[in-house]
Amino acid sequence: MSASRSRLLAGALTLTTALLASACSGTGGGEASQADGNTITFMTKLFGTAPSPQGELHQAIEKFLGKKISVTWVPNAEYQEKTNVTLASGNIPDVMVVDPKSPAFGKAAEAGAFWDLTEKIKQYPNLVGDPKVLLNSSVNGKVYGPYRIRPLLRSAVMIRKDWLKKVGLEAPKTTDDLYEVAKAFTEKDPDGDGKKDTYGLILPKWPGTSFAASSPFNTMDVWFGAPNNWGERDGKLVPEFDTPEFFEANRFMKKMIDEGLVNPDWNTLDTAKWMDPFVQDKGGIIIDVDVRTTQLLDLLKEQDPQTYGDKVLTVGNLARPDGKKFSFPGSGYLDILAVSKQRVRTEAQLDELLKTLDKLAGKEGQILLANGIEGRNFKVENNEAVLINQDDPKVKQLQDDVDKAFIQLGTQASTGATGIAYLRVPPEEPYRKDLAERKERVAEDLKTAVFDPSLPVVSPTVVAKGATLNPIVTDARIKYLAGQITEEQLKAEIKRWYDSGGTQIAQEINDLVSKLGQ
Amino acid sequence: MATDLATPPVKAVKATGHRPGRARALWRYRWLYLMIIPGLAYFLIFKYVPMRGLQIAFQDFVPFLGYNGSQWVGFKHFEDLFTGPDFGRLMYNTLFLALLNIVFVFPAPIIVALMLNELRINVLKRSVQSLIYIPHFLSWTIVASLTYILFSVDYGVLAGWIHEILGGQKIDYVAQPEWFRPIIILQTLWKTTGWTTIIYLAALAGVNHEQYEAARMDGAGRWRQLWHVTLPAIRPTIVVMAILMSGNLLDMSFEQIWLMTNNLNRGTADVFDTFTYYVGINQGAYSYATAVGLFKGVAGVLLIFGSNWLAKRLGQRGLF
Amino acid sequence: MSVNQYRSPGSRVFDAVNIAVLTGLGLITLVPLLYVLAGSFASESEISSRTFFLWPEKFVTSTYEYIFATDVFIRALLTTVVVTLVGTVVQLALTLTMAYPLAKRYLPGRALMLNLVIFTVVFSGGIIPTYLVVRDLGMLNSYWALILPLAINPFYLIIVKSFFQELPEALEEAARIDGCTEMGVFFKIVLPLSKPIIATFSLFYAVGIWNDYMSPLLYIDDSSKWTLQVLVRQLTGADAQNALSALETVFFPTQGLKFAVVVIATLPILLFYPFLQKHFVKGVLIGSVKE
């Protein structure tokens, strides 16, 4: 390269740098628009197509609140990505639906992006909800917003009712019964095709990498008396997998797997295909959330509208062999409505906003979000909602806006948990029956629910090392169940977890929980 | 080559030399520079300005705080990466897949393009050409579910046939670590081969007919025509594709691998891209992910310049 | 095509094998699409109960009725078509005009600029920094945000550049002697000679815009401006971590619906290719040129 050319290059480089520098002036933050008292901006999840701001429901909500609302609808699958970008954008909406336990939110909250509402929320009865659930949704006791209610307990066992009749067994009450049913489903040709082509229990692939995954494996751990994620043993909190009951539960599962009572692809079956074997007459038991019953009924009804009601039996949590029963509950919430400090700047603005949110969280507001407009898309009978006018395309649109969008802003009424809104009763008998039984079942199981005491706390070590630590025990457990490692090796992996940072996590969880003063 | 012969302007610049020469070169090539400006502006604005984001590799970046508000931590994330318990495994898995990509995925479209080029039945040729790029449009989610339909130990169609023919123990292809890499490579081949073939077909469209005539006059059979006419014609394209690929050698398709990972094969399946994702989800650590990106970028630069140098040593034109 | 008159036995065997292999390749790419197509017309219980099929037992059009019940999909489809058409033209123009000067080995500063381009193949600032640039340019909620941030793919640029390098310089020289400026040479000589690559990369850019779901998701908050892929992604995206997430809503995208949106999102762009295919005919590029 000649001297002149390299100097030319140097010149071009300088120009480039200058351009870069001039284009680099503004960083991060940016000037955020301030909240004006008349419009509230939201960001929440969307499951279908986005409602139009001119839509009937949108208008009705604005009329009810006496304020304009502007909602950024984000497809559920990409919510995390969009949340990260929004946090960086300097354009955080007034109210944002977030997972309070996600590290991304935790770090932003710590940096002052959101209002700490621990004290303030107490002045708004509609926003507080159940104090125990509110605590669960907090970050180490700090409340960042009202939670979105979910059923506190929804674990259940769904069984092929017709198969049960065929093999002549009763509905299972204990894990031993479950084993017997699974064995009979596998060996006694419940589908009656003369071939041994069925299995009892359908287990799906482990979701994600975290150990506490609300999977059927976790549910069975709890049935055998293991803690729900964390639990007290000898005055100290220990993880689910460091208890004799955990190993008891695993031996039970391994026995079923070894004897071929479980679907052979149990460690790869996609959760989206979980119901397929049940409908295909291949498997007969699913341990999952109770609303799965509705999905199963839908599929079976399409197959045979006459008999579908006789094909699903849903029972509650099962007792362990000695008859003691422990039930597996959830956290009672999914995500919170966090309030941004970027747009809502002053205490006065905050009070104004919370007042509006409180109004929305009242009965009338929650009915709008979770049921729709009375007399338009539903009517009330016996204090229950019955859908009407669904043939009218406009009403159908309204119904869609409720089910796929606005219900995601509900706090005291939401998907699966009617809360203070009306229970929507399906027209067909099998569904009605399921709903009625569900109520009793849940009330009964809640008596023996084993709650996770660590729900309100976030361990810093998990945030720092989770990607490395989380899969250790999860993978080891599945490998043990698959027969690839022995119980001794599983114990060695648990020890490795402790040595790689687990000891510290246990210490932090114990400290943080005791600080909550429970 | 033609271009090398017709470059008198360079000599002119060199002869006149220094300052006036530069100005004159600018003037002389004003049209060319003018044409370059929009593209160059694009690269500066949309590629280089965002690169200031790379600084977060040396920070504990919190999106809300921005570049200026986040804390500087020096090389902490790089230390975490290189000394972490997962690094060796991630490196091994990534390199292994990269190697398989070079051996199987890279040549596939070249072979298919050449085969299509030899196909005499025009209707078939056109149909196959329009079909093989379909998989490019199907997302990895669909590819994964098709894989299960074929290979599941419970209901896999292909796995069932293989079992019937070979007998013995049923093999759980999608769960076992030793089958992970073959399945990933098969998926990649299926999804990408047809698409990349298009580039080589375009290159082949440029082959001079007269050259074939001449080769045939010399009595060359099909193999020799292929070897002496067709291949040399697309060699520059192959070289460019190879060099470009080397720059992204350590990049794996995150979604593809993530969808095929399970508790039994994780040890084999984890690559930098998936691990970074877990770190992001479990730890909200942007800085760590950026550090991994920087590390891969440095490796990519070395590979791309290295292979360019190698191409030139081998008498090819290279990228630049 | 009379490429070869004499055919040896080896040549015939090769032809037979070649035909068989390529037909096989065509089939294994076609069959899955047929499955998706069949699934989009099948009932939900059939999809759950049969592992694989190419013809539904009972034809059901409810998925398509659902999709076209509102104008959301049609609007998204129109938006996508317009953005794709405009975007392809813009992106192609930027790529071609930049690639041509870069193909001139004698151009001072070329090496630096090439290095700048190649650098971006391996390094990128990432999602958040790019978002901030788009925001600062005031392009949020604008369709330009779907076109400009991805305007030039460095990969394609370099390939186009090397195509240009292979063009016979003698022709351009002749044009220059006739008094053409570089711009004139580019438009009158180079572009007409480059139909195959223009066809190729218009397809590549068009498909790139068509398939992009991340840009609209990040840059477009106004859901009435969403493109087709956002809707597709929403219905077919990999389910989140949680086993329970699928039951997070009363609305549960059925398998049939997933198949139907894939069909709707794939067919229009698939139809694009045959129109371009005629440009892939042998001899367009250099066959017409006498050296």
Side-chain angles (χ1 to χ4, degrees):
Chain A
M1 196 185 281
S2 73
S4 68
R5 252 172 100 196
S6 54
R7 224 177 295 149
L8 188 76
L9 297 195
L13 193 63
T14 322
L15 180 75
T16 312
T17 326
L19 266 171
L20 275 174
S22 65
C24 279
S25 47
T27 47
E31 79 277 21
S33 58
Q34 204 169 342
D36 71 68
N38 293 321
T39 308
I40 305 177
T41 56
F42 291 92
M43 174 168 140
T44 190
K45 299 175 179 179
L46 175 70
F47 285 82
T49 50
S52 150
Q54 277 75 49
E56 227 178 312
L57 186 60
H58 190 111
Q59 298 287 328
I61 293 168
E62 287 188 342
K63 200 175 151 211
F64 168 68
L65 292 178
K67 283 191 194 313
K68 289 259 170 230
I69 58 169
S70 159
V71 187
T72 303
W73 300 102
V74 181
N76 182 50
E78 256 65 48
Y79 201 76
Q80 182 71 36
E81 204 78 59
K82 182 80 178 182
T83 305
N84 293 342
V85 168
T86 306
L87 288 176
S89 71
N91 251 328
I92 309 179
D94 298 342
V95 180
M96 196 169 166
V97 169
V98 287
D99 173 5
K101 303 300 156 70
S102 80
F105 172 78
K107 286 178 181 176
E110 211 173 292
F114 297 96
W115 286 95
D116 178 350
L117 301 174
T118 317
E119 290 308 316
K120 216 152 211 161
I121 203 166
K122 292 175 187 158
Q123 303 162 23
Y124 302 93
N126 293 335
L127 297 181
V128 170
D130 178 346
K132 170 138 184 74
V133 178
L134 191 68
L135 181 69
N136 280 351
S137 73
S138 73
V139 182
N140 299 329
K142 273 190 187 166
V143 174
Y144 285 100
Y147 62 87
R148 301 194 307 163
I149 192 173
R150 289 296 179 273
L152 197 50
L153 188 142
R154 47 180 180 179
S155 50
V157 186
M158 280 130 280
I159 305 167
R160 276 293 290 259
K161 202 175 180 177
D162 49 336
W163 285 16
L164 210 53
K165 207 166 154 192
K166 185 97 194 283
V167 298
L169 284 172
E170 292 290 307
K173 289 199 170 56
T174 68
T175 50
D176 278 350
D177 297 347
L178 184 76
Y179 172 81
E180 289 307 325
V181 173
K183 199 172 169 68
F185 279 4
T186 310
E187 289 165 0
K188 288 191 177 162
D189 188 26
D191 60 340
D193 65 353
K195 280 182 278 190
K196 191 175 173 295
D197 57 357
T198 53
Y199 36 79
L201 182 62
I202 312 165
L203 286 176
K205 175 181 175 174
W206 190 282
T209 55
S210 297
F211 191 82
S214 301
S215 68
F217 304 93
N218 296 107
T219 310
M220 285 190 267
D221 288 349
V222 169
W223 287 351
F224 276 84
N228 176 0
N229 196 17
W230 289 83
E232 205 175 301
R233 293 290 186 277
D234 305 321
K236 261 177 61 186
L237 293 175
V238 297
E240 182 172 327
F241 47 78
D242 192 17
T243 54
E245 295 92 335
F246 166 77
F247 287 95
E248 198 69 36
N250 272 301
R251 272 176 229 129
F252 171 76
M253 291 176 231
K254 187 162 164 43
K255 190 177 172 207
M256 298 233 282
I257 290 167
D258 287 348
E259 291 178 14
L261 313 185
V262 176
N263 51 315
D265 59 343
W266 60 274
N267 50 45
T268 54
L269 180 68
D270 191 30
T271 45
K273 287 187 162 286
W274 198 350
M275 296 182 291
D276 290 5
F278 196 92
V279 182
Q280 289 171 349
D281 292 342
K282 283 170 81 174
I285 308 165
I286 287 178
I287 301 169
D288 191 26
V289 289
D290 49 19
V291 281
R292 181 70 76 180
T293 309
T294 315
Q295 308 282 335
L296 289 169
L297 284 173
D298 285 347
L299 281 176
L300 292 165
K301 181 176 154 199
E302 218 182 278
Q303 226 175 34
D304 186 352
Q306 306 301 320
T307 60
Y308 73 102
D310 303 323
K311 284 188 180 166
V312 195
L313 175 74
T314 310
V315 298
N317 286 272
L318 302 179
R320 65 182 183 193
D322 67 1
K324 269 199 187 138
K325 186 172 165 184
F326 305 93
S327 299
F328 182 78
S331 59
Y333 78 97
L334 181 79
D335 300 339
I336 60 168
L337 271 59
V339 181
S340 148
K341 268 190 183 171
Q342 220 163 39
R343 275 174 54 91
V344 184
R345 292 194 183 158
T346 62
E347 294 263 339
Q349 284 173 331
L350 179 64
D351 289 334
E352 175 73 19
L353 177 79
L354 288 177
K355 225 177 354 184
T356 314
L357 284 184
D358 190 61
K359 187 172 182 195
L360 190 64
K363 183 159 180 160
E364 204 179 330
Q366 296 298 301
I367 287 171
L368 272 174
L369 294 176
N371 291 126
I373 303 171
E374 191 174 342
R376 193 73 181 118
N377 70 318
F378 76 97
K379 62 178 180 184
V380 181
E381 264 174 24
N382 306 325
N383 212 23
E384 288 173 339
V386 179
L387 300 188
I388 52 170
N389 303 332
Q390 298 289 315
D391 296 334
D392 181 345
K394 279 194 174 153
V395 175
K396 186 78 194 107
Q397 183 64 52
L398 168 61
Q399 188 68 46
D400 274 1
D401 286 357
V402 173
D403 294 343
K404 296 164 198 173
F406 279 101
I407 200 163
Q408 294 295 331
L409 284 174
T411 47
Q412 286 308 310
S414 205
T415 49
T418 45
I420 53 178
Y422 298 113
L423 183 66
R424 184 188 305 172
V425 179
E428 293 92 345
E429 178 53 28
Y431 294 91
R432 300 183 76 99
K433 199 168 149 247
D434 171 52
L435 266 185
E437 285 174 1
R438 189 187 299 172
K439 261 193 219 161
E440 281 174 39
R441 204 169 54 226
V442 169
E444 180 61 31
D445 281 0
L446 269 173
K447 291 179 196 157
T448 50
V450 181
F451 289 100
D452 175 2
S454 75
L455 277 175
V457 304
V458 176
S459 144
T461 305
V462 170
V463 174
K465 290 186 179 172
T468 300
L469 286 178
N470 287 342
I472 295 180
V473 183
T474 315
D475 289 354
R477 174 212 205 133
I478 296 295
K479 283 182 181 162
Y480 164 73
L481 291 178
Q484 294 188 351
I485 62 172
T486 62
E487 201 172 303
E488 295 315 307
Q489 285 168 310
L490 172 58
K491 281 179 179 154
E493 283 295 283
I494 293 172
K495 186 170 178 302
R496 185 161 78 88
W497 179 82
Y498 271 116
D499 293 344
S500 321
T503 313
Q504 216 173 331
I505 293 174
Q507 191 59 48
E508 288 164 2
I509 296 276
N510 274 287
D511 291 351
L512 287 166
V513 171
S514 67
K515 257 189 221 153
L516 292 174
Q518 286 230 300
Chain B
M1 281 301 227
T3 24
D4 294 322
L5 295 173
T7 49
V10 176
K11 280 177 205 140
V13 174
K14 276 185 183 163
T16 41
H18 315 303
R19 278 192 164 274
R22 197 194 310 164
R24 222 193 284 174
L26 269 176
W27 179 247
R28 175 168 197 149
Y29 302 123
R30 60 191 180 283
W31 290 112
L32 290 178
Y33 285 120
L34 212 60
M35 286 168 82
I36 255 180
I37 285 175
L40 202 59
Y42 162 76
F43 276 97
L44 293 180
I45 295 169
F46 288 105
K47 296 285 184 182
Y48 280 93
V49 174
M51 275 195 206
R52 72 197 148 128
L54 292 176
Q55 63 181 286
I56 71 174
F58 307 96
Q59 296 179 332
D60 256 338
F61 182 65
V62 178
F64 174 70
L65 296 176
Y67 304 131
N68 298 336
S70 297
Q71 209 186 342
W72 290 92
V73 295
F75 286 89
K76 175 173 167 286
H77 300 296
F78 292 92
E79 278 167 32
D80 286 353
L81 171 65
F82 295 129
T83 60
D86 305 286
F87 183 74
R89 185 173 57 98
L90 295 173
M91 194 72 200
Y92 178 82
N93 290 342
T94 309
L95 284 178
F96 203 139
L97 272 182
L99 186 73
L100 292 176
N101 276 334
I102 295 173
V103 175
F104 293 103
V105 177
F106 182 73
I110 304 173
I111 294 167
V112 174
L114 290 175
M115 285 170 77
L116 275 169
N117 196 48
E118 292 296 322
L119 200 60
R120 311 283 170 73
I121 310 164
N122 246 325
V123 182
L124 184 62
K125 184 174 175 173
R126 292 210 166 186
S127 328
V128 174
Q129 272 187 27
S130 338
L131 289 179
I132 52 174
Y133 85 123
I134 291 174
H136 179 77
F137 293 92
L138 302 178
S139 66
W140 282 118
T141 323
I142 292 185
V143 175
S145 72
L146 289 169
T147 307
Y148 284 109
I149 287 178
L150 289 177
F151 292 108
S152 160
V153 69
D154 188 33
Y155 55 86
V157 179
L158 197 59
W161 290 344
I162 297 174
H163 179 69
E164 265 172 42
I165 296 166
L166 298 179
Q169 193 82 34
K170 268 200 172 184
I171 302 169
D172 195 347
Y173 297 98
V174 277
Q176 297 309 327
E178 60 269 26
W179 285 98
F180 175 77
R181 291 188 185 108
I183 285 185
I184 290 292
I185 295 298
L186 275 180
Q187 286 183 334
T188 314
L189 278 174
W190 184 76
K191 186 157 151 62
T192 64
T193 302
W195 186 243
T196 320
T197 302
I198 296 177
I199 291 183
Y200 292 107
L201 285 176
L204 281 169
V207 180
N208 194 339
H209 254 214
E210 291 162 18
Q211 285 178 284
Y212 285 111
E213 302 283 335
R216 265 199 303 281
M217 298 280 200
D218 293 346
R222 282 175 82 178
W223 286 112
R224 277 181 58 201
Q225 287 178 35
L226 179 82
W227 196 252
H228 292 292
V229 181
T230 317
L231 262 183
I234 61 169
R235 198 188 295 137
T237 311
I238 297 178
V239 172
V240 167
M241 295 290 285
I243 296 172
L244 285 175
M245 183 190 174
S246 71
N248 292 327
L249 206 57
L250 299 185
D251 291 338
M252 298 295 149
S253 169
F254 152 74
E255 207 181 359
Q256 176 193 14
I257 292 182
W258 180 66
L259 285 166
M260 298 310 296
T261 305
N262 57 56
N263 306 86
L264 297 181
N265 67 15
R266 193 188 313 283
T268 310
D270 263 357
V271 291
F272 286 116
D273 299 82
T274 47
F275 188 74
T276 312
Y277 171 80
Y278 297 131
V279 172
I281 287 290
N282 288 310
Q283 304 173 203
Y286 310 93
S287 293
Y288 181 87
T290 311
V292 173
L294 259 183
F295 160 68
K296 285 200 309 187
V298 170
V301 163
L302 291 179
L303 283 165
I304 220 169
F305 283 86
S307 52
N308 192 53
W309 175 82
L310 191 70
K312 284 187 168 168
R313 279 297 295 266
L314 294 173
Q316 300 300 320
R317 189 173 272 167
L319 281 191
F320 40 89
Chain C
M1 217 176 281
S2 62
V3 175
N4 213 341
Q5 285 87 18
Y6 167 72
R7 299 174 124 206
S8 68
S11 181
R12 278 159 200 270
V13 172
F14 172 81
D15 277 336
V17 172
N18 197 14
I19 289 169
V21 171
L22 286 175
T23 311
L25 277 180
L27 283 180
I28 62 168
T29 47
L30 178 65
V31 167
L33 188 74
L34 291 181
Y35 167 63
V36 171
L37 191 64
S40 73
F41 284 106
S43 68
E44 201 53 22
S45 63
E46 183 173 356
I47 297 171
S48 300
S49 54
R50 290 173 72 188
T51 305
F52 182 81
F53 57 91
L54 295 176
W55 199 260
E57 277 166 1
K58 196 177 78 185
F59 261 84
V60 177
T61 52
S62 58
T63 52
Y64 291 96
E65 279 163 26
Y66 173 82
I67 287 172
F68 292 111
T70 63
D71 62 350
V72 174
F73 263 86
I74 298 162
R75 196 174 52 203
L77 186 65
L78 284 177
T79 307
T80 314
V81 168
V82 172
V83 171
T84 303
L85 287 178
V86 175
T88 306
V89 171
V90 171
Q91 299 186 340
L92 202 59
L94 281 169
T95 305
L96 292 172
T97 50
M98 188 177 188
Y100 178 67
L102 289 181
K104 302 289 167 219
R105 319 203 98 215
Y106 50 76
L107 188 73
R110 170 182 177 269
L112 171 78
M113 287 184 279
L114 266 178
N115 280 330
L116 277 178
V117 169
I118 288 163
F119 202 64
T120 63
V121 171
V122 286
F123 285 107
S124 80
I127 290 177
I128 293 178
T130 311
Y131 176 91
L132 295 178
V133 169
V134 173
R135 183 200 65 186
D136 292 344
L137 290 171
M139 292 202 302
L140 290 183
N141 273 326
S142 145
Y143 291 130
W144 288 112
L146 310 184
I147 297 171
L148 291 181
L150 297 169
I152 302 181
N153 181 322
F155 227 92
Y156 301 170
L157 178 74
I158 290 165
I159 297 170
V160 175
K161 184 218 84 169
S162 26
F163 269 107
F164 282 155
Q165 269 175 351
E166 299 302 312
L167 290 176
E169 184 74 18
L171 259 189
E172 299 180 30
E173 236 1 80
R176 270 185 215 111
I177 291 165
D178 287 350
C180 276
T181 60
E182 283 294 343
M183 212 74 118
V185 173
F186 176 66
F187 281 110
K188 293 206 182 107
I189 310 290
V190 174
L191 287 190
L193 284 177
S194 310
K195 276 184 191 158
I197 55 156
I198 294 176
T200 306
F201 288 100
S202 44
L203 178 72
F204 275 49
Y205 275 127
V207 169
I209 302 175
W210 187 275
N211 280 352
D212 183 16
Y213 64 88
M214 218 51 200
S215 302
L217 196 97
L218 292 176
Y219 304 136
I220 310 278
D221 281 345
D222 180 351
S223 51
S224 66
K225 288 185 177 169
W226 277 351
T227 57
L228 202 53
Q229 289 300 332
V230 182
L231 305 182
V232 173
R233 185 75 187 174
Q234 209 173 326
L235 296 176
T236 64
D239 262 323
Q241 316 279 297
N242 200 327
L244 310 180
S245 67
L247 299 168
E248 184 33 43
T249 163
V250 181
F251 172 69
F252 185 55
T254 58
Q255 292 290 327
L257 188 58
K258 289 181 183 182
F259 288 153
V261 293
V262 170
V263 170
I264 289 171
T266 312
L267 277 189
I269 191 90
L270 270 182
L271 299 176
F272 199 60
Y273 188 69
F275 291 106
L276 293 172
Q277 208 177 26
K278 61 170 185 264
H279 296 292
F280 291 92
V281 181
K282 268 190 181 177
V284 175
L285 189 58
I286 302 175
S288 60
V289 178
K290 282 218 171 79
E291 279 196 71

